[in-house]
Amino acid sequence: MERGPLPRAAAAACGPHFAGAARALLLAAVLSAAAAAFLPVTESSCPRDNSLVKDISQMHQSSYGREGFSHITVAGALAHGMKEVEVWLQTFGPGKRTPIHRHSCEEVFVVLKGKGTLLLGSSSLKYPGEPQEIPIFQNSTFSVPVNDPHQVWNSDEHEDLQVLVTISRPPVKIFVYDDWSMPHTAARLKFPYYWDEDCLPAPKDEL
């Protein structure tokens, strides 16, 4: 049933109410804009930078809550619009290591400084199993087979380990293990990963 226009008396009664509400909303918007102008501007930890040449020393660097660790996304999918690969610069202090983890992307490391150990499990068993311990050293390069659980460890007691990492299919989806005997099916998906959280805050399911 169609409604006709409000009776004149009702319209007159509502008019001041609606006008007052509109004035209140307008005043709130003006005050909010004025307050925002005085708020400090915080630098995003996921700055979008599509410039052709970048200074790595000026790029965002963080430990992401892990003592003795530093990560820089040199060229990323979310921050820089990369489609096929992503490049990281990571530094591990003496004795520091990554979590035991796996991912369905290709990964290549170049050791820029220091030495350490690659711990490599197997995806062919129900759990990673006893890992191989493979020495890595300055100017060495190595790749990790897709979906094989692994861990990079700075086993040197004195010097930092610095690596340049290239992954395919960014942004990375990482499955994390508690230990080498944890079944693959129990590994926990961490996505977005720590350095992508500010760029892609909404969790996504693994396809």
Side-chain angles (χ1 to χ4, degrees):
M1 174 179 177
E2 292 187 5
R3 295 178 180 271
L6 287 173
R8 185 172 300 174
C14 291
H17 172 73
F18 288 150
R23 282 195 297 272
L25 287 173
L26 180 59
L27 179 60
V30 170
L31 290 175
S32 177
F38 290 97
L39 290 175
V41 177
T42 56
E43 184 179 353
S44 170
S45 60
C46 180
R48 268 67 176 182
D49 183 357
N50 295 318
S51 56
L52 186 61
V53 178
K54 305 175 186 69
D55 183 346
I56 291 178
S57 68
Q58 300 301 313
M59 300 182 82
H60 179 74
Q61 174 178 309
S62 178
S63 68
Y64 297 94
R66 290 160 56 185
E67 184 182 356
F69 171 74
S70 168
H71 172 95
I72 297 174
T73 299
V74 177
L78 301 177
H80 311 110
M82 303 295 290
K83 303 296 184 185
E84 303 295 336
V85 297
E86 189 160 292
V87 179
W88 307 331
L89 180 64
Q90 296 183 330
T91 305
F92 301 85
K96 302 303 179 181
R97 60 180 79 195
T98 67
I100 304 168
H101 65 284
R102 76 171 196 271
H103 35 68
S104 59
C105 60
E106 297 172 317
E107 185 174 34
V108 178
F109 290 78
V110 177
V111 181
L112 302 179
K113 184 174 73 171
K115 57 182 181 288
T117 304
L118 168 66
L119 303 176
L120 186 63
S122 173
S123 58
S124 61
L125 306 172
K126 292 183 178 180
Y127 52 90
E130 189 68 26
Q132 301 177 62
E133 296 192 13
I134 304 166
I136 58 177
F137 46 89
Q138 186 173 1
N139 295 328
S140 66
T141 181
F142 60 95
S143 58
V144 176
V146 172
N147 276 325
D148 272 3
H150 58 284
Q151 184 176 49
V152 176
W153 170 31
N154 181 1
S155 48
D156 189 277
E157 296 181 358
H158 307 289
E159 188 179 6
D160 285 351
L161 171 67
Q162 188 173 66
V163 294
L164 195 67
V165 188
T166 303
I167 66 158
S168 66
R169 301 176 58 195
V172 66
K173 297 180 177 74
I174 290 183
F175 288 84
V176 180
Y177 297 75
D178 293 333
D179 53 51
W180 295 99
S181 62
M182 188 175 190
H184 297 304
T185 53
R188 299 179 303 278
L189 172 63
K190 173 60 178 166
F191 181 76
Y193 208 60
Y194 296 102
W195 40 84
D196 288 332
E197 282 181 332
D198 289 332
C199 303
L200 189 66
K204 305 291 182 183
D205 292 332
E206 171 74 341
L207 296 178

